Amino acid sequence: MSVATDHKVIVAELPVNVTFHIWLKARRVGEPGAISLISPNGKFGEVLSHNLDEYDFRIYHVFGGGPIELHYDAERTVISVIYWFTAVDVLEAGITVLHTNGLNAPPDLPDSYHFRPPFGWMNDPNGFGRFDGRPHLFYQHYSHGLSWNTMHWGHAVSSDYLRWRHLPIFLFPSEELSAWPDKRGGAFSGSAIALPNAPGIRVFYTDQLKDRQPEEQIQMTATSADLFSAGKAEVILPHRPDGEGLTLDFRDPYVFKGPDGLWKMLLGSQSAEGGVILLYDTEDRAAAEGWTYRGKLLVEHRHRTTAIECPCLLPLDGPATHPATHWVLIYGLMNSEDAESRRKNLTMAEIGWFDGQRFVKDFEQELDFGTDNYAFQAFLDGDMPVGIGWLANWADANAATIFPTAMTLPRTLKLQDGHLLTPPIGAAESLRHRVLDRVRLASGGEVVFPNGAVEILFEMAEPGLPFTLNLDHPALRLAISSDEEGLELIHGKPGEDNAPRYLRPGARIKRLRVFLDYGSIEIFADHGRHVATKRLDGFDPIQSARLVAEPGSVAWATVWSLRL
């Protein structure tokens, strides 16, 4: 019998009827990893794992409340995550995280206001919608490290799209993946709808298993009556459509109600023609079965994309059933590159009309010329389109990349004067904590920031007057410039050659709104007509700003510190 030499204790005060979610594994062959649960009355439970390679997920229920201690020997046992919740009020109170480790702990960022997971890695937003009166955000998630790995769905709920309560992990990789030695894949991206005849939601997602034959990617659905735990998943599309010459890419189901009253599904793929968006629909009111392939909604052959990802389609300026209503079709071009600017992984927005079977384009624009608003997913919240994106893209991230990522500020989508506008939601004004400046920036002086969470808003006396907003970052060249070429986000490391150029050609700016946070910058020009989002390496805060412009050309400027 081994003697514990590195004894660890985690202490908690619990209400009654608590559920623990625990991930652990063993360090040594022949000695199981173990956590003992101890109350003032003595030991009452033990959680074990014999796995040396992967963390085992364990659920443990504690019915009596009061103080509790969790004991383990760190020489025998590796603990990744421990959190608890009570099912009766988890939507109101969220989870309580008791333990993370150095591999998956979230960054400590005072007053940061972007959504981040409570532990681990995050990428695409999933299942974004309002259910039972509240906005819900699901997301691609790996609990045990800060880089991409086997995908789960994380989950959070909010009242205003800004202040989120973390909920239990919602979707887990399939048992088939758990038994596969390569373990590459999991619960990939998808969407959610409200159940039409009962409380709860139905989610749709791609199940990925590398080298599975004949399909690596298949489409799944599951329901949740309580809005925080998923029922058994079932296959709804076991294979790609025949005869279309598609690659193995077949993913990211986005489900919505079409103008003909039928549930529609978009999926991204790739063919010899280029990236494609596939259209399915069903007459089943519950959207649970009967999905029929209707054809290619879009073929995209520019920018050398390797697959279209995360397509979404929703009405912009009227009811879905009205033939004059404009719709917006948004999609990501994985591994694409704009040859002129060297920007990668572009996201496109096409505006036109959708009759339930065909989409006819009126015009298009890039959703975000900074490119780090990727995997954007939107839905119709009442009559207001709302969307959110991953504040990064695959130009910076791969399976070996380690960084904690964030979601963008949520945005609304508006059609105005023949342009798509994507300003931040109105609730973003509630982030303003105190005014830092109303004089110095407009007059050309430096404004020093107390921390990394800042909003800058200014107007020029006339559209198109030149300016440069210089931002002092410890490791980057960072500025926003407007001149005869257009609006540019200048971003790069000192001395870096061939850095991408983030330019919106021809933009003549009058009003600029800039959100700074630890590790990011988001630019909204002219009420969201021109938008750029960029992840910044590391979490060093931007320290100050100085606005360079001709005398009299800045009408006014205000700077706020921000916090949730």
Side-chain angles (χ1 to χ4, degrees), residues 241-255:
D242 296 328
E244 296 287 19
L246 303 178
T247 63
L248 292 174
D249 301 285
F250 178 55
R251 60 179 176 269
D252 308 338
Y254 178 80
V255 175

Side-chain angles (χ1 to χ4, degrees), residues 3-9 27 71-77:
V3 177
T5 57
D6 193 4
H7 190 81
K8 303 293 186 183
V9 181
R27 282 196 187 275
H71 292 246
Y72 70 99
D73 178 1
E75 289 196 351
R76 292 176 50 191
T77 306

